[in-house]
C-alpha cells in the first residue's frame, strides 16, 4: 500500500480514515491540513485527536518533493525544475503579472504526441505524472499562495493522463484543498475529444486547443496527431456545444516565422471559427537552440492579429515570457536529462 497521503483526494483519505478507524470527521480536517495548510507533520495537527495523530504518524507520511533548480527571467517569470525519479525531470513555470500569477504545470514526463516544434517531444515519452507529482508543482514553490491561475500547458498531453488530471483538478479546486476556482484553471490539449467533452461537462475549467495551423496537411506536418484528432473532428465537436460552453474554449496558435501567418491561413481560420464563439490566442514562437523554426517579429504577429480581428475573430496576442531563461516547453528538462549545464 502507498503510505504517502500527499496526492490522495478526499474520497481516498476518507476511506483510509475509515479503514484505520479514526473517524470520518477526521478526513476533511486531515485533507485541509495537507493541502490548504501545507502541514506535513501529523504531530502538529492540533485539531485532530491525539489517537488520530498517533495512528497516522505510525502508518503514514506526507511526502512532497522540493525543486532542484530555478531560473528567474528579467521579466519575473520563474522556471522550476523538479526531479521525480532517476533522471526524470519536470518543469513548471511561474508567470507573475500585474493582476494575476499563473502557474504552468506539467502532466507527463516527456510526451507521446511528437509535435515537431516541441522540446518535450524530443525526450520521447517516459511516464505519466501521478496526482502527487502534478499538484506538488504548486505545493512546493515559494509562490504557492500567490498563484491565482493554473494552466496545464507544461510537458505532456493532459488527456493522455486523464484520470490523474481530473483528480488533480479536484484537489486544486476543493475549498479545503488549494481553493482555486475552476474558472481559473485551463487545460490545454492537442484536441482529444473525449477529454474535452468530460472537462466541459463535469468542471467549470477552461479549455485551450492547440491548433497552430488551420490547414490539415500543414498541421499534420508539425503535429502528427492531426492524423487522428483532426481539425474537422475538433470543429464538429465544438459545433455541438452550447454557446456558453464555446465561450470557455480558445485556440492556441503559435506563430512561426513564414509558416502559418499568410492570408490563406487567415481565410482558413475564419472558416473554422465561423459560427463558433471561441477565441484565438496567438503565441510567439520562442527561438530555441537546434530548432528548425524561427521567431516572427512582433510586427508580423500584430499584422496577422489585425487581419483576424478584421474577419470578426476575437484574437489576443500573449507576448512570450521568460525568453531569456529558455521558456520553450521541455527545454530545461531536456538539458538536465542530457547533463548539459543549465544556463
Ligand atoms: S506541444 Fe504539447 S502535445 Fe505536442 S509534443 Fe509538446 S507537450 Fe506534447
Amino acid at each position: 500500500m502507498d503510505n504517502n497521503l500527499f496526492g490522495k483526494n478526499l474520497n481516498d483519505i476518507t476511506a483510509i480514515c475509515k479503514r484505520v478507524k479514526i473517524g470520518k470527521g477526521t478526513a476533511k480536517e486531515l485533507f485541509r491540513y495537507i493541502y490548504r495548510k501545507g502541514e506535513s507533520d501529523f504531530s502538529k495537527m492540533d485539531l485532530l485527536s491525539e489517537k488520530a495523530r498517533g495512528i497516522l504518524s505510525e502508518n503514514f507520511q506526507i511526502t512532497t518533493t522540493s525543486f532542484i533548480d530555478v531560473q528567474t527571467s528579467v521579466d519575473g517569470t520563474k522556471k522550476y525544475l523538479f526531479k521525480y525519479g532517476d533522471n526524470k525531470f519536470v518543469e513548471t513555470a511561474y508567470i507573475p503579472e500585474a493582476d494575476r500569477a499563473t502557474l504552468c504545470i506539467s502532466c507527463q514526463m516527456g510526451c507521446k504526441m511528437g509535435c515537431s516544434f516541441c522540446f518535450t517531444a524530443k525526450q520521447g515519452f517516459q511516464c505519466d505524472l501521478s496526482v502527487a507529482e502534478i499538484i506538488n508543482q504548486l505545493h512546493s514553490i515559494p509562490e504557492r499562495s500567490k498563484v491565482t491561475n493554473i494552466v496545464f500547458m507544461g510537458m505532456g498531453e493532459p488527456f493522455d493522463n486523464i484520470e490523474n488530471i481530473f483528480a488533480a483538478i479536484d484537489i486544486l479546486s476543493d475549498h479545503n484543498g488549494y481553493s482555486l476556482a475552476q474558472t481559473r484553471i485551463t487545460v490545454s490539449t492537442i484536441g482529444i475529444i473525449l477529454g474535452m467533452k468530460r472537462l466541459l461537462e463535469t468542471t467549470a475549467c477552461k479549455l485551450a486547443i492547440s491548433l497552430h495551423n488551420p490547414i490539415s496537411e500543414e498541421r499534420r506536418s508539425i503535429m502528427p496527431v492531426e492524423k487522428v484528432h483532426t481539425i474537422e473532428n475538433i470543429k464538429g465537436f465544438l459545433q455541438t456545444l452550447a454557446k456558453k460552453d464555446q465561450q470557455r474554449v480558445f485556440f492556441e496558435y503559435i506563430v512561426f516565422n513564414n509558416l502559418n501567418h499568410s492570408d490563406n491561413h487567415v481565410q482558413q481560420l475564419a472558416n473554422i471559427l465561423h459560427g463558433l464563439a471561441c477565441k484565438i490566442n496567438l503565441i510567439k514562437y520562442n527561438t530555441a537552440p537546434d530548432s528548425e523554426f524561427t521567431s516572427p517579429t512582433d510586427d508580423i504577429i500584430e499584422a496577422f492579429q489585425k487581419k483576424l480581428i478584421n474577419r470578426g475573430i476575437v484574437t489576443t496576442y500573449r507576448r512570450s515570457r521568460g525568453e531569456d531563461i529558455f521558456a520553450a516547453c521541455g527545454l530545461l528538462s531536456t538539458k538536465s536529462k542530457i547533463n548539459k549545464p543549465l544556463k
Side-chain angles (χ1 to χ4, degrees):
M1 186 186 66
D2 176 12
N3 290 335
N4 183 12
L5 295 187
F6 187 75
K8 304 260 188 287
N9 66 19
L10 188 55
N11 285 344
D12 296 335
I13 289 180
T14 303
I16 287 168
C17 288
K18 198 172 163 197
R19 183 163 48 80
V20 297
K21 298 185 176 51
I22 53 174
K24 202 180 161 197
T26 305
K28 211 171 191 177
E29 207 56 65
L30 176 56
F31 183 85
R32 191 175 169 81
Y33 266 118
I34 297 171
Y35 301 113
R36 195 147 169 85
K37 298 183 180 172
E39 182 57 71
S40 57
D41 184 345
F42 294 114
S43 71
K44 292 182 182 163
M45 298 182 181
D46 296 337
L47 295 174
L48 305 189
S49 69
E50 203 178 327
K51 178 189 161 205
R53 279 181 269 151
I55 291 175
L56 289 168
S57 303
E58 270 172 38
N59 296 285
F60 301 99
Q61 72 269 351
I62 297 162
T63 307
T64 56
T65 307
S66 302
F67 57 89
I68 58 161
D69 188 57
V70 59
Q71 298 181 359
T72 306
S73 161
V74 287
D75 67 17
T77 300
K78 288 186 172 180
K79 198 152 200 179
Y80 288 99
L81 187 68
F82 293 93
K83 188 174 183 211
Y84 283 149
D86 287 348
N87 213 23
K88 288 181 178 169
F89 298 91
V90 167
E91 296 175 21
T92 308
Y94 172 75
I95 307 158
E97 291 169 274
D99 58 343
R100 65 174 69 186
T102 302
L103 193 68
C104 177
I105 60 183
S106 297
C107 60
Q108 294 180 316
M109 286 180 196
C111 186
K112 297 174 194 162
M113 301 301 149
C115 303
S116 59
F117 51 86
C118 173
F119 260 84
T120 300
K122 295 191 196 316
Q123 297 183 10
F125 175 72
Q126 295 164 72
C127 63
D128 287 330
L129 296 191
S130 66
V131 180
E133 289 166 337
I134 293 169
I135 59 175
N136 180 70
Q137 295 168 68
L138 170 66
H139 192 93
S140 295
I141 60 166
E143 298 85 0
R144 179 173 75 198
S145 62
K146 293 183 187 162
V147 171
T148 59
N149 293 60
I150 298 272
V151 292
F152 285 89
M153 292 183 186
M155 300 166 67
E157 161 56 48
F159 295 141
D160 192 40
N161 184 14
I162 192 161
E163 296 309 328
N164 288 349
I165 290 301
F166 279 94
I169 289 171
D170 269 353
I171 297 171
L172 291 170
S173 59
D174 193 298
H175 175 64
N176 290 306
Y178 298 96
S179 199
L180 283 154
Q182 289 191 345
T183 50
R184 288 180 170 269
I185 298 175
T186 301
V187 179
S188 169
T189 176
I190 39 77
I192 297 177
I193 308 275
L194 273 178
M196 299 198 289
K197 196 166 182 303
R198 180 167 161 189
L199 187 85
L200 293 172
E201 284 177 356
T202 64
T203 75
C205 297
K206 292 192 176 129
L207 178 67
I209 302 172
S210 302
L211 185 61
H212 309 327
N213 202 306
I215 301 164
S216 187
E217 308 79 66
E218 291 185 16
R219 186 176 190 250
R220 206 179 309 147
S221 72
I222 56 168
M223 299 175 72
V225 74
E226 170 69 16
K227 290 177 201 150
V228 185
H229 300 287
T230 63
I231 296 169
E232 208 179 306
N233 288 348
I234 293 169
K235 176 162 177 150
F237 165 69
L238 294 174
Q239 283 171 327
T240 67
L241 299 176
K243 195 170 175 191
K244 68 173 176 29
D245 285 331
Q246 289 178 2
Q247 287 166 337
R248 291 165 59 195
V249 181
F250 65 90
F251 288 105
E252 292 174 284
Y253 197 94
I254 300 177
V255 185
F256 302 93
N257 196 32
N258 291 328
L259 198 78
N260 59 351
H261 52 79
S262 71
D263 288 348
N264 188 30
H265 293 104
V266 173
Q267 177 62 48
Q268 299 304 326
L269 281 168
N271 292 347
I272 290 173
L273 271 288
H274 181 71
L276 295 175
C278 310
K279 300 174 200 158
I280 295 185
N281 184 17
L282 303 179
I283 305 158
K284 182 181 184 176
Y285 176 71
N286 265 326
T287 300
D290 306 327
S291 170
E292 63 190 281
F293 302 98
T294 53
S295 298
T297 61
D298 284 339
D299 286 350
I300 287 175
I301 300 178
E302 280 159 13
F304 183 56
Q305 179 187 22
K306 206 169 161 191
K307 287 178 188 170
L308 290 167
I309 290 172
N310 287 342
R311 299 297 298 260
I313 301 168
V314 180
T315 310
T316 54
Y317 170 31
R318 190 173 79 205
R319 284 169 193 278
S320 297
R321 300 287 305 268
E323 284 179 74
D324 55 323
I325 55 161
F326 285 166
C329 167
L331 191 49
L332 186 61
S333 57
T334 301
K335 284 176 78 72
S336 299
K337 197 171 160 53
I338 59 179
N339 291 323
K340 280 190 181 171
L342 297 169
K343 194 182 173 194

